[in-house]
Amino acid sequence: MGWFEARWSCGVTKSIRPGDRFYLIRLGLKPKGIVGSGYYIVSASFEDLHWDQVLAASGSTARFVNVVFDALLNADSEHILEIDLLQADPLLSQINWLPQASCIRVPDEIAEKLQGIWSEFLGVSKLPEDFGDITPTVYREGHVREKSLTVFERSTAAREKCLEYYGTKCFICQFDFKTFYGPVADGYIQVHHLLPISDIGEEYEVDPVKDLRPVCPNCHAIIHRRRPSYSIEDIRGFIKQNLK
């Protein structure tokens, strides 16, 4: 399991916020169930040409968000967490797992149970630790959007080289998790690609020093609050202006 960045159609939903936890549910075809998850939405929703090429050619638009997956299964070749299993649990059965709306928000106490079942299903004790304190959210996608989803895998080795060079303080605001939280947070930081790999659209050779920077989740979320993303210099400017 690794990190995957993707641009995701979110229907007409405008309430999605950077930092939200999300799950991807396959509903268009059997088997139906959870096929993916991510620890944060990395942009506010934005409007762009429709994901359907025919509709896009006529000028139709759709809303999107940029997301980072921590797990993504291929329902055609792998077992997924089927809806029948969710509906069989007394707590999880309180949620309508076949909604008509484009997304549903899961209450915290149910989301905690869902996370436990999802982690157990994947066979991991915990998912990757590059996340902050977030509000779990579920987003529904039909099978057409699921089929057309493109994801980009990040290099763990490049991340490590970046942190060897820059350290684990936020490159923008200088926040140090270990200093604030103690040993439990030693080494924790997110890594930002100066040129988003989703914009490149293909495999490329990354320079860990030139192309990557360590950033805290707060600064990272603000960077991606628009498309194109804000620059590191932009965020530093916002902080400086706000602290005057």
Side-chain angles (χ1 to χ4, degrees):
M1 239 177 331
W3 289 99
F4 302 90
E5 183 175 341
R7 175 172 157 169
W8 190 4
S9 173
C10 58
V12 298
T13 304
K14 298 181 180 180
S15 61
I16 304 173
R17 294 291 181 266
D20 281 349
R21 171 68 160 147
F22 67 91
Y23 295 88
L24 177 65
I25 305 179
R26 171 185 166 114
L27 295 178
L29 295 173
K30 292 183 177 181
K32 300 180 181 182
I34 295 179
V35 297
S37 63
Y39 262 108
Y40 59 94
I41 304 292
V42 294
S43 76
S45 64
F46 57 90
E47 187 174 9
D48 206 343
L49 286 176
H50 204 280
W51 53 268
D52 185 301
Q53 294 182 357
V54 175
L55 294 177
S58 66
S60 296
T61 61
R63 298 201 69 80
F64 299 89
V65 288
N66 294 325
V67 303
V68 175
F69 283 90
D70 54 47
L72 188 60
L73 304 176
N74 183 343
D76 294 327
S77 60
E78 298 177 283
H79 292 296
I80 68 173
L81 182 55
E82 295 191 35
I83 288 178
D84 289 346
L85 296 176
L86 301 176
Q87 293 174 331
D89 183 89
L91 187 60
L92 296 182
S93 64
Q94 298 178 30
I95 298 296
N96 175 17
W97 295 106
L98 297 169
Q100 296 300 313
S102 58
C103 75
I104 57 173
R105 182 168 293 275
V106 179
D108 290 349
E109 64 276 10
I110 299 180
E112 184 177 353
K113 180 65 175 295
L114 174 61
Q115 180 56 58
I117 291 178
W118 177 236
S119 296
E120 182 179 354
F121 176 80
L122 293 175
V124 295
S125 59
K126 56 183 177 180
L127 291 167
E129 296 180 345
D130 200 11
F131 58 91
D133 185 15
I134 49 175
T135 302
T137 305
V138 172
Y139 298 98
R140 181 179 67 86
E141 287 285 357
H143 70 280
V144 175
R145 286 193 285 272
E146 178 190 338
K147 291 290 185 180
S148 64
L149 181 65
T150 302
V151 298
F152 302 89
E153 184 171 7
R154 296 181 180 275
S155 168
T156 301
R159 168 189 166 85
E160 292 174 353
K161 290 293 183 182
C162 170
L163 299 186
E164 284 179 10
Y165 185 86
Y166 290 106
T168 56
K169 287 185 179 180
C170 178
F171 192 76
I172 297 175
C173 70
Q174 297 301 302
F175 185 82
D176 186 328
F177 280 88
K178 182 179 179 181
T179 298
F180 193 85
Y181 293 103
V184 67
D186 187 19
Y188 174 78
I189 196 71
Q190 294 181 2
V191 170
H192 170 61
H193 283 244
L194 298 182
L195 179 61
I197 55 178
S198 59
D199 289 349
I200 299 173
E202 60 184 20
E203 186 175 2
Y204 79 107
E205 185 174 342
V206 61
D207 185 315
V209 176
K210 292 182 179 180
D211 300 332
L212 307 178
R213 296 292 187 276
V215 294
C216 69
N218 286 345
C219 289
H220 207 181
I222 300 302
I223 285 174
H224 291 288
R225 276 192 66 84
R226 76 169 189 187
R227 185 177 178 90
S229 302
Y230 289 109
S231 69
I232 283 178
E233 291 71 26
D234 288 334
I235 307 304
R236 285 175 171 168
F238 297 153
I239 294 173
K240 183 178 180 180
Q241 179 67 32
N242 190 58
L243 294 178
K244 284 185 177 179

